[in-house]
Amino acid sequence: MHILAIILGVTLGIVLFLSIIALIIYGKIKLTMKKIGFKANSFSDIAEEVEKIREEDSTRARSISGMTSLLLPNIRSDFPDFNEQEMYNKTEDVLRKVFSAIENKNIEEVSNLPLLRNSIEKVIEDYNTSNIEERFDDIHFHKFAIYQYEKKNGMATVTISVSVEYYYQKKKEEKVLKDFTKYKKQTRYQCKFIYVYDESKVDMSAKVLAINCPNCGAAIKALGHKYCDYCGTTVKEVNLKSWECSSYVEC
């Protein structure tokens, strides 16, 4: 009986301690929400306000950093035909194709994006192996800006920032890993585009220019090669006398 009384006393003590902690946390949450203008009298009120915040956040486009007005004159000085709106349209087209290729696990959807093919193919292979699926629905692009410009070693690089929203879900088998199906995900991407204006100055082994044979996977040693040196497969020639997307990243 003495041991039972001790166990009961300890249990009640733990319950009392946790209750006090919960009340303290609740009080702090209530005070914080009061300071920012919310009136909450219960946990259900707080949950409702949190849900409202999530809903509002799902409609608020992410801000993007860029230096379009500063960089555009430099770009046009080097490339008089450069059109920033065309580049923004190209950025949207690239990301839509990437999202679709990953969602459908179909590498052919990025067949005209040779510098992205390797990375997208790896994502698809990894997802097939791990039984992972991603969905992108109701995609909408907001703001675009030129984030960075660089010109050296025979190659020019322009990085475009963009804010985008979509309904999104990531699953592994039947387990949901990320879920934005009730409210949209607001996010940003940066897409890097390159233009080779002098092949004699470019390091053709640079990772950014990595192109592989679509048949055997062997590296294509030069941009002008029309056949794979290993299996003889015809390789689509890459024209880098135009702006080609070499990478994209969510940020």
Side-chain angles (χ1 to χ4, degrees):
M1 288 292 293
H2 180 65
I3 295 176
L4 183 61
I6 292 174
I7 294 173
L8 182 61
V10 171
T11 302
L12 289 173
I14 292 173
V15 171
L16 180 61
F17 174 75
L18 292 176
S19 298
I20 293 172
I21 294 297
L23 287 173
I24 292 173
I25 293 172
Y26 169 68
K28 288 185 176 181
I29 292 174
K30 188 175 179 180
L31 179 61
T32 300
M33 299 189 79
K34 185 178 180 180
K35 286 181 179 179
I36 60 177
F38 289 132
K39 294 181 179 179
N41 297 311
S42 66
F43 281 111
S44 61
D45 290 337
I46 293 175
E48 184 178 341
E49 293 299 343
V50 170
E51 190 71 7
K52 286 181 181 178
I53 292 172
R54 285 191 63 193
E55 184 175 2
E56 290 173 3
D57 190 58
S58 72
T59 62
R60 188 180 299 115
R62 293 289 179 264
S63 60
I64 57 173
S65 58
M67 297 185 292
T68 304
S69 59
L70 294 176
L71 296 176
L72 196 54
N74 294 334
I75 299 173
R76 285 181 174 164
S77 175
D78 296 327
F79 301 92
D81 295 333
F82 183 88
N83 184 306
E84 72 273 22
Q85 188 57 54
E86 288 181 3
M87 188 63 73
Y88 297 160
N89 293 341
K90 184 174 287 191
T91 300
E92 178 176 339
D93 182 61
V94 165
L95 288 175
R96 285 188 182 278
K97 286 178 178 176
V98 167
F99 297 154
S100 182
I102 291 174
E103 179 174 321
N104 298 321
K105 297 182 180 178
N106 181 6
I107 191 62
E108 295 308 314
E109 296 195 34
V110 290
S111 60
N112 65 340
L113 302 173
L115 301 183
L116 290 181
R117 185 182 177 96
N118 288 353
S119 60
I120 301 301
E121 192 166 33
K122 187 177 186 307
V123 170
I124 293 173
E125 288 175 356
D126 290 345
Y127 279 12
N128 281 331
T129 301
S130 305
N131 292 318
I132 291 177
E133 294 182 355
E134 280 187 304
R135 286 182 53 195
F136 304 83
D137 295 315
D138 195 16
I139 303 165
H140 181 73
F141 290 81
H142 294 289
K143 301 176 182 178
F144 295 83
I146 300 174
Y147 177 75
Q148 193 174 50
Y149 174 61
E150 188 176 44
K151 183 171 180 263
K152 65 178 182 179
N153 299 329
M155 186 166 65
T157 304
V158 170
T159 303
I160 304 296
S161 288
V162 55
S163 58
V164 60
E165 67 174 47
Y166 43 64
Y167 290 107
Y168 172 79
Q169 188 177 69
K170 184 175 184 178
K171 295 196 304 182
K172 182 173 183 179
E173 296 176 346
E174 294 304 315
K175 182 180 180 182
V176 176
L177 303 178
K178 294 182 181 180
D179 190 25
F180 288 85
T181 53
K182 185 174 182 180
Y183 301 119
K184 277 189 168 183
K185 180 179 180 179
Q186 298 285 348
T187 187
R188 312 176 190 87
Y189 283 85
Q190 286 185 356
C191 291
K192 187 172 289 186
F193 293 84
I194 64 173
Y195 188 112
V196 175
Y197 59 87
D198 189 345
E199 291 185 23
S200 66
K201 297 180 180 179
V202 176
D203 178 8
M204 301 309 294
S205 64
K207 187 177 180 180
V208 70
L209 295 174
I211 302 171
N212 292 72
C213 171
N215 181 51
C216 70
I220 304 303
K221 296 179 180 179
L223 293 178
H225 281 198
K226 296 182 180 180
Y227 301 94
C228 174
D229 291 338
Y230 292 88
C231 69
T233 298
T234 300
V235 177
K236 184 178 179 180
E237 187 174 359
V238 180
N239 176 23
L240 291 181
K241 293 296 182 183
S242 63
W243 295 99
E244 287 285 345
C245 186
S246 62
S247 66
Y248 73 96
V249 62
E250 186 176 7
C251 53

